[in-house]
Amino acid sequence: MGLFDQFPYTNFHELNLDWLIERMKHCLSVVDGINANIDAAVEREIEKLVETGEFEQFLYNIFKEHTDNAVLWGADPTGVDDSSVVINKMLSTIGSCYLPNGIYRIDESIVIPSDARLYGQSTDGVILKAYRNGPVAVIKSATYDLYHNTDTINGDTSFEIKDLTVDGNGRGMIGIALYGYKYHIANVDIRKCTDGFYSEWGSSNGFAENGNVMHSVIENVTIGNCTSHVAQFFGPHDSYIDKLVGHNCVSGLYIVKKASNANRANGTVLSNSHIFSIQETGIYITDYCYLDNVVSESNGGDGIYAESECKMYNCTIFNNGGNGLTIAANISQAIVENASCYQNTGKDIVIGANVKNSIINAQTFSADSGKIAVNSGLLTKEANSYNNHIRIISASPFHGIDYAPMALSTVEIPETSPYVNNTGRSANVIVYGSNDCKLLFTGSTINMNAEQSYPLPCGASITWTTKPSTILLMYNPIN
């Protein structure tokens, strides 16, 4: 089969060698016709190449430098021969590699430097498939090994990976491992890796060393069937993650900061994403970030667990094996608006102790009791016949306000200071209710025939056993 037959296409990425050779032969005939002054040795070499059938390869070697088609450079789209050497040569020399549809065997990590572009013909059609144990990742940034677990604001920048599938093939590799900033990942599927995606950058809150912006964009990425995390994102800060789907992995999406370096991922935005069927917690947050229109469901642990200030809007959290939404203790300035939490095995919503300066508006549709646990300071609780709604606002001098229409529910009273007096009772707890409400605590039922106040024992649970129109429960620290 001739070279023309191997590469018959004439699109932007491939050379029309038929046309080129025809034009070259025409030029040679013109040169011969006008007896141009061509060095005799060069002319003989060209004639020899034509006679031996090597002229096509000669032209190919000349013109391949001007195309980014990996197959023209020698990559094997059948998956038989290793293509990593060819792809890496292209990325390091011309800074661009286009992959026509096919399966490409990857024996060594694909290394992408700054300003390079690795892209395929289609996400489903281009598969980079690992075949050898050992490399740290199927794709990694050029300085990943050098800067991994450091705190430098150097690293690779302005590169792009798009329109392809990364298949770790169960070889114990990260799908994509990056140390850098201002990169773009789009339309990529990642499967059968350890961590599907791993990214980090320095803890600086400012710009990169060269004054460049730092935020990266990850969009329309699907990660599944990985033996560790969907993704671990340690920065760069102020990045955008949009349309991420994570499923069937051991651990979920982690937006986190390193233990030794704070604020690596702060300001990250996660939007329009779906995390499900994770063995452990779906989304784990330890750095300041924003969530908008995110679904976390059917995970083995919590749906969303936040250990840092965060802003969540329009999130849906259901059918998780742990709690639905957990706002951990001692968090300040958490904002949750219009979250729906239901059918979680644990509690639908958990607010840790000493949460302050926060606003939480959420709905829980679970029919059973005990679905909301609040350990904040000033607690306000209301109920109506239409929906379940919890809202926590923390304001001085109180530690928090919790507002929740609940049909049947339990509120847990903290057992520790500052709520306990010297008799073991929280004398400052006050319960108000309407005349259709019954409260059950410490084994006794209270009929709320009118607004009344009761001192409640610390460590007790309060459950309303009938559906009230309104109920207000407050407790605040003892002076």
Side-chain angles (χ1 to χ4, degrees):
M1 179 180 292
L3 192 62
F4 308 145
D5 298 319
Q6 296 179 51
F7 309 111
Y9 307 107
T10 57
N11 60 30
F12 175 77
H13 308 285
E14 305 194 25
L15 296 173
N16 187 340
L17 294 180
D18 287 324
W19 180 85
L20 286 171
I21 293 175
E22 180 62 30
R23 298 308 298 167
M24 289 295 291
K25 288 180 178 179
H26 174 71
C27 289
L28 285 174
S29 66
V30 172
V31 169
D32 289 339
I34 64 175
N35 295 317
N37 184 20
I38 300 176
D39 184 89
V42 173
E43 184 176 0
R44 285 194 300 271
E45 289 299 319
I46 293 176
E47 290 174 350
K48 186 186 298 184
L49 290 172
V50 173
E51 291 172 359
T52 60
E54 299 178 274
F55 189 62
E56 298 175 11
Q57 187 65 43
F58 171 73
L59 285 178
Y60 162 71
N61 290 335
I62 291 175
F63 288 106
K64 77 172 185 178
E65 303 297 331
H66 301 284
T67 179
D68 63 354
N69 188 315
V71 175
L72 284 177
W73 282 65
D76 177 15
T78 69
V80 175
D81 296 326
D82 173 41
S83 294
S84 58
V85 174
V86 171
I87 295 171
N88 283 331
K89 182 178 180 180
M90 295 179 68
L91 292 173
S92 63
T93 55
I94 66 172
S96 182
C97 178
Y98 167 78
L99 297 162
N101 284 344
I103 299 174
Y104 296 86
R105 176 175 178 141
I106 304 300
D107 287 345
E108 299 294 339
S109 294
I110 300 303
V111 179
I112 187 162
S114 294
D115 302 307
R117 186 185 188 204
L118 174 64
Y119 64 116
Q121 183 177 348
S122 67
T123 302
D124 294 334
V126 175
I127 301 173
L128 300 179
K129 191 169 185 178
Y131 276 87
R132 191 174 72 84
N133 297 333
V136 66
V138 182
I139 301 174
K140 66 179 180 180
S141 57
T143 59
Y144 176 81
D145 293 335
L146 177 64
Y147 293 139
H148 174 50
N149 283 331
T150 69
D151 193 31
T152 179
I153 58 174
N154 297 317
D156 299 291
T157 183
S158 304
F159 55 86
E160 182 177 45
I161 303 169
K162 62 183 298 186
D163 302 323
L164 52 82
T165 292
V166 176
D167 187 347
N169 199 22
R171 296 291 179 172
M173 304 164 67
I174 300 172
I176 300 177
L178 308 175
Y179 193 105
Y181 59 98
K182 199 188 175 185
Y183 57 75
H184 183 207
I185 313 294
N187 310 325
V188 173
D189 287 357
I190 304 172
R191 64 195 185 206
K192 298 180 182 178
C193 299
T194 52
D195 285 350
F197 183 79
Y198 182 100
S199 176
E200 59 179 316
W201 191 55
S203 62
S204 169
N205 285 324
F207 294 102
E209 187 176 38
N210 58 7
N212 209 340
V213 296
M214 77 304 299
H215 65 269
S216 297
V217 177
I218 302 101
E219 56 182 335
N220 197 25
V221 173
T222 298
I223 303 173
N225 299 296
C226 293
T227 59
S228 188
H229 299 83
V230 169
Q232 292 195 79
F233 192 80
F234 298 98
H237 62 84
D238 295 298
S239 292
Y240 296 87
I241 304 174
D242 185 49
K243 299 183 181 69
L244 172 68
V245 176
H247 65 93
N248 297 101
C249 299
V250 173
S251 299
L253 168 63
Y254 280 38
I255 302 176
V256 291
K257 56 188 176 185
K258 293 282 189 179
S260 58
N261 298 305
N263 301 321
R264 282 197 167 186
N266 61 306
T268 294
V269 176
L270 174 68
S271 59
N272 305 312
S273 297
H274 187 188
I275 306 297
F276 64 96
S277 297
I278 304 301
Q279 294 182 27
E280 300 173 354
T281 292
I283 301 174
Y284 182 71
I285 300 168
T286 68
D287 212 348
Y288 174 82
C289 65
Y290 301 85
L291 275 64
D292 185 17
N293 193 28
V294 172
V295 177
S296 183
E297 52 106 351
S298 303
N299 303 302
D302 287 5
I304 300 178
Y305 190 97
E307 287 187 359
S308 180
E309 173 188 354
C310 55
K311 307 291 185 285
M312 303 183 194
Y313 305 92
N314 308 309
C315 294
T316 303
I317 310 160
F318 67 96
N319 198 36
N320 295 287
N323 299 316
L325 169 63
T326 297
I327 305 296
N330 303 312
I331 289 178
S332 178
Q333 300 179 9
I335 297 178
V336 178
E337 290 287 356
N338 195 31
S340 296
C341 308
Y342 56 94
Q343 294 179 351
N344 299 288
T345 301
K347 298 182 185 298
D348 284 331
I349 303 168
V350 176
I351 310 300
N354 299 318
V355 171
K356 55 187 177 181
N357 303 320
S358 299
I359 300 174
I360 299 176
N361 281 308
Q363 296 178 347
T364 174
F365 304 104
S366 300
D368 56 336
S369 63
K371 281 299 185 181
I372 294 183
V374 180
N375 296 309
S376 302
L378 175 61
L379 176 66
T380 307
K381 207 162 191 69
E382 294 187 1
N384 58 46
S385 59
Y386 298 105
N387 59 21
N388 302 317
H389 183 196
I390 181 169
R391 177 186 178 198
I392 296 190
I393 305 173
S394 193
S396 179
F398 308 112
H399 289 289
I401 301 175
D402 172 88
Y403 165 85
M406 293 292 296
L408 301 170
S409 189
T410 299
V411 176
E412 300 172 355
I413 304 298
E415 298 183 22
T416 57
S417 178
Y419 308 102
V420 182
N421 62 16
N422 55 14
T423 64
R425 300 179 71 83
S426 180
N428 288 358
V429 172
I430 304 173
V431 179
Y432 297 97
S434 59
N435 57 14
D436 58 353
C437 176
K438 292 184 178 181
L439 294 180
L440 175 65
F441 74 102
T442 62
S444 302
T445 300
I446 300 175
N447 292 308
M448 301 295 292
N449 295 320
E451 289 190 358
Q452 303 173 54
S453 63
Y454 299 89
L456 302 178
C458 288
S461 292
I462 308 168
T463 302
W464 38 97
T465 57
T466 56
K467 192 172 189 177
S469 58
T470 59
I471 182 170
L472 178 65
L473 170 63
M474 298 191 302
Y475 64 95
N476 58 286
I478 296 173
N479 296 324

